[in-house]
Amino acid sequence: MRSLRVAALAVFALLAGLLTVPSALAVNAAAPGFKAPFPCGQQWTYSHHSAEVRRALDFIRSDGGGTHGAPVLASAAGTATRHNQPGGAGQYIVVDHGGGWQTYYFHLDTYSVPNGASVAQGQQIGTTGTTGNSSGSHIHYEQLLNGVGQNIVINGQPLSYPGSYYQAYLTSDNGCGGGTPDRYWVDTFAATDGYADASTASPQGRLLQGTHYVYCKVAGARYEGTYGYNTWWLRTDLDETYPGGNGRGAYVPAYYLSRWGDDEARDNNGTVIPDC
């Protein structure tokens, strides 16, 4: 009888363990659709340093606007709490998004929401500063799952981890609101000129290396380089505009897409970019 009871208890324990597995797994919800921690249309450059904690990236503004005092936006909706660590992170905010996910925003100059506030994606939560252990104004930004730093993902795409600024760039679509044209996110492996049409006849400005949005594609002049060729041209907004040029709605060769080869025009998810 004793052996039967032991066996029954073992079976019960096994079944109980199996029943608890799904609920434990459910604690870790899918990642929110994180967006850049700065306002719509702004371009910032970013870097990673070996001393940075939890896979953080530091952002400074690179489109001619000032970094200090610039709005810091919530990457996704959640509950914001205010913190202060004078010898380290300075004034900072943590946004809890549920499911084990949090984002951190260090070195704030000011807070823009009360402690414990519910915030929407794109809502201003603070202003960029250099409080705490910081050598200059910037946004120190982290994404954590159950307290563990994750490689940072924006709009479903992982960012690179350059060792210094001005090697990679990010243009924000956070807080853009309604009426924004469809955008497809792509990575480019080098800077390139942008043109008034699908040829190299009329340069308008420069698109820098990094992650960018494009609106659509058109067929145009064959563009050849060291790594192949492309006849597709992508309509986008340029990072730098030449004197007399128009940086809005210019065309860049799809040759420069990091993830695709000869005569392809797809976004980072592999979706074919639609015709204009």
Side-chain angles (χ1 to χ4, degrees):
M1 288 293 291
R2 184 175 181 276
S3 62
L4 287 174
R5 285 198 299 272
V6 171
L9 288 171
V11 170
F12 178 79
L14 177 61
L15 290 173
L18 290 173
L19 289 172
T20 59
V21 168
S23 60
L25 292 175
V27 172
N28 296 336
F34 293 122
K35 291 185 177 294
F38 45 87
C40 174
Q42 292 183 3
Q43 181 204 74
W44 293 49
T45 182
Y46 55 90
S47 69
H48 173 77
H49 309 289
S50 58
E52 294 286 16
V53 298
R54 298 188 294 260
R55 301 300 294 159
L57 285 173
D58 290 339
F59 289 86
I60 62 172
R61 194 164 178 184
S62 56
D63 59 5
T67 297
H68 189 83
V72 178
L73 308 188
S75 280
T79 301
T81 53
R82 292 163 47 158
H83 307 267
N84 190 17
Q85 186 184 49
Q91 297 186 143
Y92 70 100
I93 277 184
V94 178
V95 179
D96 190 324
H97 307 285
W101 286 96
Q102 295 176 314
T103 47
Y104 281 52
Y105 313 77
F106 283 9
H107 308 303
L108 299 177
D109 186 55
T110 61
Y111 302 112
S112 300
V113 293
N115 190 52
S118 294
V119 296
Q121 185 177 63
Q123 180 175 341
Q124 182 172 328
I125 57 176
T127 58
T128 307
T130 185
T131 56
N133 184 14
S134 169
S135 59
S137 294
H138 67 284
I139 302 173
H140 168 114
Y141 174 72
E142 306 175 15
Q143 294 175 355
L144 285 76
L145 176 60
N146 295 329
V148 178
Q150 307 294 302
N151 286 350
I152 289 173
V153 173
I154 299 294
N155 291 321
Q157 302 302 321
L159 299 189
S160 60
Y161 274 75
S164 60
Y165 295 121
Y166 305 107
Q167 295 180 353
Y169 300 81
L170 179 65
T171 300
S172 176
D173 69 341
N174 198 1
C176 288
T180 302
D182 288 340
R183 297 180 179 190
Y184 298 82
W185 291 89
V186 300
D187 293 338
T188 55
F189 65 80
T192 179
D193 281 337
Y195 303 90
D197 56 30
S199 75
T200 59
S202 182
Q204 302 293 299
R206 296 280 280 173
L207 186 75
L208 303 177
Q209 177 186 356
T211 301
H212 307 279
Y213 59 82
V214 299
Y215 298 114
C216 54
K217 72 179 191 300
V218 298
R222 182 183 175 101
Y223 189 99
E224 296 199 34
T226 304
Y227 306 107
Y229 74 97
N230 214 300
T231 58
W232 292 111
W233 294 73
L234 307 174
R235 186 172 183 270
T236 187
D237 300 324
L238 303 178
D239 298 314
E240 299 174 352
T241 304
Y242 295 146
N246 182 6
R248 297 292 181 182
Y251 293 89
V252 297
Y255 168 85
Y256 286 95
L257 294 180
S258 299
R259 305 191 186 200
W260 305 104
D262 291 349
D263 230 22
E264 289 192 89
R266 299 172 182 264
D267 70 6
N268 287 342
N269 291 322
T271 301
V272 175
I273 296 168
D275 294 342
C276 294

